[in-house]
């Protein structure tokens, strides 16, 4: 079961890359440690980390886990914080009314902590300030196992490659640009304003154990999610960057065009690649788009059809589900799958090759999106990505419109298209 409270954009995850760098701050933590009854070194390390997070995010809910499991290897947890220290420090802070803690349900929700007025006053009395916090360089590349355990991802301490070293440097440039920009979400009615700061935007890859490919450590998925992806499109429209209004621009037929760009070297040549006519009947575009998407990681027409109907059942727009059921009264799912394959013979062999290959194709799209990010970062233009779209200051609309669909795929890993 997936963790539920991860999708609230006004909550943040615990940052494992924070430390203090001034002796008097260390002294204040030592005094607090004695007052709340913590003794072990592991507890002091955890207390220090929790306090840094709470100081930088006053009155915000910070999500973390109390599960009895590792917080990750050295790439994801550079200070070596353990779950025992986290749990005992949380409880000590809570027992002394320094935080409000809501303990999560294992496998369903994360625990949240939030500073109290008492803790905020303690920070002020001890002269804490932003300069006293050392923000370590975050982990810009993550690699997790394909399967989730109790709804939680398991991350892997990978070996660096020439590609990961290059990618980390590019992600650092991107993050530096975002963190020197002012990215603001204006509240609406009773909603809170939010400033997106101290960002570590990552490329998130998946490891498929069946794939044993030379130089293929980072070839599955690789998406670039930021905290704004959990906002509705209407809410994202309220984001400003450096005081300017923004616009969100989508890549045209992004999933399918990414396949064309990799296989043929250019996007779909002309017209709408999702336009399909079967027996004189034009299939609604949203249906073809959904089928094409699920065909990338499917193994059979029957399996794709089941994935499509499951997706429609959970869609908030039930009118599309009803539309789909009407179409299926006269058109078989196998006919839709075959029509897509017939319309796109150049990329047909890359469909229906199972889940791992679907994640590989998604990496093609992510790579192209990131090439656009690299180009905009070179020009000092901050952009926020939402899967296959770009949120940019309104003044750059024309520029981004001109490059987002034609920026080429670059095979930076020097891998063959046919892998599995």
């Amino acid at each position: 079961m997936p963790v539920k409270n991860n999708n609230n954009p006004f909550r943040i995850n615990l940052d494992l890359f924070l430390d203090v760098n001034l002796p008097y701050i260390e002294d204040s933590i030592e005094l607090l440690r004695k007052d709340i009854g913590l003794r072990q070194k592991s507890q002091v390390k955890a207390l220090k980390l929790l306090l840094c997070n709470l100081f930088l995010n006053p009155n915000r809910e910070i999500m973390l886990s109390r599960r009895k499991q590792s917080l990750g290897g050295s790439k994801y947890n550079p200070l070596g914080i353990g779950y025992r220290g986290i749990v005992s420090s949380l409880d000590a802070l809570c027992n002394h009314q320094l935080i409000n803690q809501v303990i999560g349900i294992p496998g369903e929700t994360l625990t949240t902590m939030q500073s109290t007025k008492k803790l905020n006053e303690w920070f002020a009395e001890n002269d804490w300030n932003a300069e006293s916090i050392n923000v370590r360089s975050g982990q810009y590349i993550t690699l997790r196992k394909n399967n989730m355990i109790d709804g939680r991802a398991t991350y892997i301490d990978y070996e660096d490659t020439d590609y990961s070293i290059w990618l980390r440097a590019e992600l650092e440039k991107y993050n530096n640009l975002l963190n020197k920009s002012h990215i603001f979400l204006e509240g609406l009615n009773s909603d809170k304003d939010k400033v997106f700061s101290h960002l570590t935007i990552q490329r998130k890859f998946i490891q498929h154990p069946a794939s044993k490919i030379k130089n293929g450590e980072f070839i599955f998925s690789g998406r670039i999610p930021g905290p704004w992806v959990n906002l509705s499109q209407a809410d994202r429209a309220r984001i400003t960057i450096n005081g300017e209004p923004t616009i969100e621009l989508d890549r045209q037929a992004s999933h399918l065009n990414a396949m064309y760009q990799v296989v043929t070297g250019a996007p779909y040549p002309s017209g709408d690649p999702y336009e399909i006519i079967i027996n004189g009947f034009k299939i609604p575009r949203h249906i073809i788009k959904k089928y094409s998407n699920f065909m990338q990681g499917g193994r059979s027409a029957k399996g794709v059809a089941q994935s499509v109907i499951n997706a429609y059942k959970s869609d908030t727009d039930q009118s599309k589900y009803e539309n789909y059921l009407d179409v299926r009264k006269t058109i078989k799912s196998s006919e839709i799958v075959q029509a897509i394959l017939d319309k796109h013979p150049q990329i047909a062999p890359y469909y229906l090759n199972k889940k791992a290959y679907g994640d590989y194709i998604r990496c093609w799209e992510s790579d192209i999106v990131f090439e656009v990010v690299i180009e905009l970062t070179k020009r000092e233009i901050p952009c926020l990505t939402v899967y296959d779209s770009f949120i940019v200051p309104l003044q750059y609309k024309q520029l981004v419109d001109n490059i987002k669909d034609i920026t080429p795929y670059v095979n930076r890993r020097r891998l063959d298209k046919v892998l599995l």
Side-chain angles (χ1 to χ4, degrees):
M1 185 180 296
V3 174
K4 294 176 181 176
N5 58 354
N6 257 337
N7 292 327
N8 186 330
F10 297 101
R11 289 180 172 140
I12 63 169
N13 290 308
L14 183 74
D15 188 341
L16 294 174
F17 291 82
L18 300 180
D19 200 355
V20 297
N21 59 8
L22 293 175
Y24 81 90
I25 298 295
E26 294 272 10
D27 293 342
S28 70
I29 295 171
E30 175 61 15
L31 292 173
L32 181 64
R33 187 272 303 172
K34 291 177 180 178
D35 289 344
I36 63 178
L38 297 177
R39 294 182 177 85
Q40 299 174 7
K41 289 183 179 180
S42 62
Q43 294 173 329
V44 177
K45 284 201 303 183
L47 175 64
K48 189 185 300 185
L49 178 76
L50 296 179
L51 289 172
C52 288
N53 276 269
L54 289 160
F55 175 74
L56 290 177
N57 302 281
N59 306 314
R60 288 205 179 277
E61 291 183 331
I62 300 172
M63 298 183 297
L64 67 167
S65 173
R66 292 174 58 102
R67 288 180 63 83
K68 295 180 179 179
Q69 64 182 31
S70 169
L71 275 67
S74 60
K75 279 188 169 61
Y76 308 104
N77 181 14
L79 300 175
I81 306 297
Y83 70 84
R84 290 185 181 87
I86 288 286
V87 171
S88 57
S89 297
L90 279 172
D91 291 343
L93 288 168
C94 187
N95 291 339
H96 288 78
Q97 291 81 52
L98 294 166
I99 64 168
N100 295 318
Q101 177 184 203
V102 179
I103 297 177
I105 301 170
E108 293 190 26
T109 58
L110 293 170
T111 291
T112 62
M113 67 173 184
Q114 188 174 26
S115 63
T116 62
K117 181 181 178 182
K118 182 178 178 181
L119 180 60
N120 292 336
E121 289 174 348
W122 180 86
F123 283 133
E125 289 167 3
N126 288 277
D127 199 25
W128 278 55
N129 55 71
E131 287 69 33
S132 64
I133 308 288
N134 178 24
V135 182
R136 291 170 174 250
S137 177
Q139 182 58 30
Y140 296 127
I141 303 169
T142 67
L143 181 65
R144 69 168 177 85
K145 291 183 179 180
N146 176 44
N147 56 313
M148 308 285 275
I149 300 175
D150 293 331
R152 302 280 291 163
T154 301
Y155 289 92
I156 301 162
D157 247 353
Y158 56 84
E159 295 290 331
D160 267 319
T161 65
D162 289 344
Y163 173 75
S164 69
I165 293 168
W166 168 85
L167 178 59
R168 185 178 296 108
E170 294 300 324
L171 284 163
E172 184 172 11
K173 295 173 191 174
Y174 175 52
N175 276 271
N176 287 342
L177 176 60
L178 294 188
N179 281 315
K180 73 179 185 182
S181 304
H182 185 261
I183 305 168
F184 180 72
L185 174 64
E186 182 181 0
L188 184 65
N189 299 327
S190 61
D191 291 346
K192 301 174 184 176
D193 290 342
K194 180 172 178 59
V195 176
F196 293 104
S197 59
H198 305 292
L199 294 167
T200 302
I201 306 301
Q202 305 165 320
R203 285 201 66 182
K204 295 176 174 287
F205 295 91
I206 298 171
Q207 182 191 68
H208 283 279
S211 172
K212 297 179 181 178
I213 305 158
K214 185 178 180 181
N215 298 320
E217 292 84 351
F218 306 98
I219 61 172
F220 298 106
S221 188
R223 281 185 160 164
I224 324 169
W228 38 81
V229 301
N230 297 320
L231 296 168
S232 68
Q233 189 169 15
D235 285 342
R236 294 197 298 268
R238 290 161 29 214
I239 292 176
T240 62
I241 299 178
N242 296 329
E244 297 183 48
T246 60
I247 187 168
E248 184 169 347
L249 303 168
D250 295 322
R251 270 174 45 86
Q252 296 176 9
S254 183
H255 295 297
L256 195 149
N257 267 325
M259 297 174 73
Y260 267 94
Q261 285 171 278
V262 173
V263 176
T264 71
Y268 183 71
S270 62
D272 183 359
Y274 291 128
E275 183 175 319
I276 297 283
I277 297 173
I278 301 176
N279 300 329
F281 178 74
K282 184 177 180 180
I283 309 298
R285 191 177 192 274
H286 66 87
I287 295 176
I288 300 303
K289 185 175 180 180
K290 231 176 216 10
Y291 265 85
S292 177
N293 188 18
F294 282 111
M295 284 168 64
Q296 290 178 343
R299 67 172 65 197
S300 67
K302 183 178 179 181
V304 168
Q306 187 60 55
S307 296
V308 167
I309 201 163
N310 289 344
Y312 275 120
K313 284 179 180 178
S314 62
D315 199 322
T316 54
D317 185 354
Q318 286 298 288
S319 64
K320 289 184 177 180
Y321 179 37
E322 293 167 6
N323 182 212
Y324 175 62
L325 293 178
D326 285 340
V327 170
R328 283 295 311 279
K329 290 175 183 177
T330 55
I331 307 293
K332 296 178 181 179
S333 60
S334 58
E335 292 179 291
I336 297 174
V337 169
Q338 191 57 52
I340 292 172
L341 296 175
D342 291 343
K343 182 179 177 72
H344 302 290
Q346 300 98 320
I347 62 172
Y350 303 92
Y351 281 122
L352 301 176
N353 288 318
K354 303 182 183 178
K355 184 181 185 305
Y357 209 93
D359 284 336
Y360 184 48
I361 294 172
R362 274 182 275 280
C363 196
W364 294 350
E365 181 189 38
S366 298
D367 283 348
I368 295 169
V369 167
F370 193 59
E371 291 295 330
V372 177
V373 169
I374 291 172
E375 179 58 31
L376 294 177
T377 301
K378 286 178 182 175
R379 302 183 188 209
E380 291 285 303
I381 300 171
C383 77
L384 317 180
T385 64
V386 184
Y387 304 121
D388 58 356
S389 68
F390 306 89
I391 300 172
V392 294
L394 187 58
Q395 64 171 303
Y396 299 112
K397 177 183 183 302
Q398 190 63 51
L399 168 67
V400 178
D401 261 338
N402 289 342
I403 68 173
K404 64 183 174 60
D405 298 309
I406 62 170
T407 296
Y409 169 77
V410 181
N411 186 5
R412 296 190 181 277
R413 305 171 191 82
R414 298 183 295 278
L415 296 173
D416 189 82
K417 293 187 289 290
V418 182
L419 293 178
L420 308 177

